[in-house]
Amino acid sequence: MPEPKTSRGDYLGLALILALAAALRLPGLNSSLWHDEVQTLITHVRLPWSEMLQSYSMNHHYLHNIAAKVSVSLFGESAWALRLPALLFGLGTLWAMWALARHLAGTAIAHVTTLLLALSYHQIWFSQNARGYTGLAFFSTLGMLLFLRGIRRPRPGTWIGYGLCLAAAVFTHLTGAFFFAAQGLVWLALVVWRGLTGRLDAATAGLPLMGFAIGAAVSLALYLPILPSLIETVGGVSGSSASDVMQEYQNPLWTAFEAIRTGIGQTGPLVGLVGGAVLALSLLGAVALGRDEPLFAPVTFGHILLTVVLLMAVGMRIWPRFFFADIGFLMLLIVLGVRLACAIAGQILGGERLATGLFALAVIAMLGISAVLAKRNYALPKQDLEGAYHFARQLAEPGTRVYAVGYAGENFSLYGADWPIIYTSAEYRAALAEPGPVVLIVGFPERTFRDVPELARDAGVGAGDPCGPGGAPGAVLVTARCFAGTLGDGGLIVFVRG
């Protein structure tokens, strides 16, 4: 398929979409950090440069953290400076997706796809998240463009660039390798097919191999200082996951449900309907694109399947964020699927003009729905640690003991708190055995109530919602206030005992 010509108007359209995307991502950029962001700051970004690559942790997104440290060094320590690299990578992903969609389906489809991503709840959320996921999406999207171009017109420069994208993604997070592994499997299948049909040439076999080799070599060199720690950490993933009280996190059905629920902000039958529509339109889009670019859909679906299989094989939690890089690819397939559905309807009912009109109406509807769903990004912080901290300080009169409960408690040191942290039932019983007023700040309540069942009992969780009107009836602990957030299980509950 020849590369489409691009006019000044096309570039102006892209610039306007990127400007809109930036405007949508700036509000809230300086809001309260959530657990993983705080840990990124405290345990990595604040370290001296010489100590940032001394040991491996699944929580460290190394390339992103280096960029975040540069940003904080330049602009001072603040939430917006820590999140600036994620914002820039998010905008870069939109540009890369526009270039990819234009390459595959033309400028009009590229504009629609990119505009939908600019309004996307998930894309906005992660562009304001001081983690490496927008970086992964950027390098994966650029890698997809180079992969498809390199297969169609094999050139050394294309595959060198591809190898560098691979290394950058893997150095951001190890799961970045899964996407490029999916491409590698598709390439191997292509080599076998062309070999069997007598159409295999040296460039198709050799240059992609060079790209993968460059990516692997650079990745290994980057991780070499912490390779023993990396191997030890990855080897221990299965054991830690097996003892996790949140076993549903290892279920791909939970992952799919959670990804859709966070996007639409609702549970129940609507989640299944949305999931079915996404799958059906994506498959229809794969059919629409199959003749012009048969490798795109297999890579997209292959990455999702391969990630699930590999994570289940090592017993690792299957977080929805591991599939964030696929949002742009699925969005393109959905847009193409909608266009094909409108074309079929137009052909049955009244011709090409009707099909064009139906597609225009469908695009307007999709944009309107995306804009409405995106509003939730601005209603709440991701996790209101700062609000819970200040509220607890106000409650803590002289003689009152304050405890943080659960892993979120590790983050209050950011505000200067030195509250003891309760992780287990034994620690909880010891803390409440002493008489006197107590304030408890519970983070990640669903997990924490399972980790500390006595806390759940005293809060009356089994008898009602502790954040419902009046709290749980008959509870030993009284709910003083609940702080909601957009993060899954990211709420905080402040309990008091008089």
Side-chain angles (χ1 to χ4, degrees):
M1 185 170 87
E3 193 75 24
K5 293 182 179 179
T6 309
S7 67
R8 249 183 224 181
D10 296 332
Y11 285 122
L12 177 61
L14 172 61
L16 291 174
I17 292 171
L18 292 177
L20 172 64
L24 291 173
R25 285 150 179 76
L26 289 176
L29 194 66
N30 205 39
S31 64
S32 178
L33 300 173
W34 71 282
H35 174 77
D36 278 5
E37 293 179 305
V38 175
Q39 293 305 303
T40 295
L41 175 64
I42 293 176
T43 69
H44 214 230
V45 174
R46 283 181 175 176
L47 294 179
W49 285 105
S50 59
E51 297 179 19
M52 287 186 68
L53 271 173
Q54 289 197 346
S55 63
Y56 180 78
S57 168
M58 299 294 282
N59 191 58
H60 292 336
H61 298 184
Y62 290 90
L63 183 58
H64 166 270
N65 291 0
I66 290 170
K69 187 169 180 64
V70 171
S71 177
V72 168
S73 299
L74 290 173
F75 304 112
E77 187 178 298
S78 64
W80 75 263
L82 189 69
R83 289 166 170 161
L84 183 60
L87 170 66
L88 296 178
F89 276 126
L91 295 175
T93 301
L94 296 185
W95 165 80
M97 194 62 222
W98 181 86
L100 175 62
R102 173 178 162 273
H103 170 74
L104 294 174
T107 305
I109 293 296
H111 283 335
V112 171
T113 302
T114 310
L115 185 54
L116 285 168
L117 289 175
L119 295 170
S120 163
Y121 169 84
H122 289 103
Q123 234 282 347
I124 295 171
W125 199 98
F126 279 95
S127 292
Q128 297 180 322
N129 181 34
R131 308 287 284 147
Y133 297 106
T134 54
L136 281 177
F138 172 73
F139 294 119
S140 298
T141 305
L142 197 55
M144 177 76 94
L145 178 61
L146 293 172
F147 176 80
L148 297 176
R149 282 181 174 173
I151 293 294
R152 193 172 290 275
R153 293 187 295 277
R155 294 173 183 170
T158 301
W159 286 104
I160 291 172
Y162 176 84
L164 295 178
C165 283
L166 189 163
V170 173
F171 192 52
T172 300
H173 197 265
L174 284 182
T175 55
F178 298 167
F179 178 77
F180 293 88
Q183 290 179 326
L185 292 174
V186 169
W187 166 70
L188 284 175
L190 180 67
V191 167
V192 170
W193 172 252
R194 288 187 177 179
L196 292 174
T197 56
R199 294 183 294 118
L200 182 63
D201 58 273
T204 301
L207 288 179
L209 183 61
M210 178 193 72
F212 287 113
I214 289 172
V218 174
S219 298
L220 181 61
L222 290 170
Y223 276 118
L224 196 58
I226 54 173
L227 193 58
S229 175
L230 185 155
I231 295 172
E232 180 182 359
T233 301
V234 173
V237 164
S238 179
S240 64
S241 296
S243 60
D244 191 352
V245 295
M246 307 296 287
Q247 287 295 305
E248 60 267 37
Y249 290 173
Q250 300 170 48
N251 186 335
L253 293 179
W254 173 87
T255 305
F257 180 93
E258 185 68 7
I260 297 169
R261 184 201 65 77
T262 55
I264 65 176
Q266 297 183 42
T267 58
L270 185 60
V271 173
L273 291 174
V274 172
V278 168
L279 180 59
L281 290 172
S282 298
L283 291 174
L284 201 58
V287 171
L289 193 59
R291 184 180 64 181
D292 293 329
E293 186 45 81
L295 303 184
F296 177 80
V299 169
T300 300
F301 297 133
H303 171 241
I304 295 171
L305 179 61
L306 182 64
T307 299
V308 170
V309 169
L310 291 176
L311 292 178
M312 290 183 70
V314 299
M316 189 171 173
R317 302 166 188 87
I318 309 173
W319 299 116
R321 53 184 177 261
F322 290 156
F323 306 94
F324 174 71
D326 298 300
I327 289 178
F329 308 140
L330 292 174
M331 187 69 77
L332 173 59
L333 290 175
I334 288 170
V335 171
L336 291 172
V338 169
R339 186 175 69 172
L340 179 56
C342 292
I344 294 172
Q347 189 174 16
I348 294 173
L349 299 175
E352 186 175 342
R353 289 183 62 184
L354 177 60
T356 302
L358 288 174
F359 181 59
L361 290 174
V363 168
I364 293 171
M366 287 190 293
L367 291 173
I369 292 170
S370 296
V372 170
L373 294 177
K375 288 170 59 179
R376 291 188 301 110
N377 273 299
Y378 312 105
L380 298 167
K382 289 175 169 58
Q383 188 177 37
D384 197 0
L385 292 165
E386 186 175 4
Y389 165 76
H390 289 298
F391 182 72
R393 284 287 304 272
Q394 292 172 4
L395 291 178
E397 298 178 351
T400 300
R401 302 191 312 279
V402 181
Y403 296 92
V405 190
Y407 292 97
E410 300 168 3
N411 305 308
F412 293 113
S413 63
L414 182 68
Y415 309 106
D418 57 356
W419 301 325
I421 304 174
I422 295 171
Y423 294 104
T424 66
S425 292
E427 292 171 343
Y428 173 76
R429 287 193 298 268
L432 267 69
E434 300 180 37
V438 173
V439 174
L440 298 170
I441 307 180
V442 178
F444 299 111
E446 188 174 348
R447 169 183 286 279
T448 302
F449 288 145
R450 296 190 197 182
D451 280 331
V452 189
E454 286 88 344
L455 168 66
R457 179 200 62 206
D458 289 349
V461 172
D465 180 6
C467 289
V476 174
L477 300 174
V478 177
T479 304
R481 187 169 171 184
C482 294
F483 294 83
T486 56
L487 178 71
D489 194 26
L492 294 130
I493 308 176
V494 179
F495 293 109
V496 294
R497 186 193 71 178

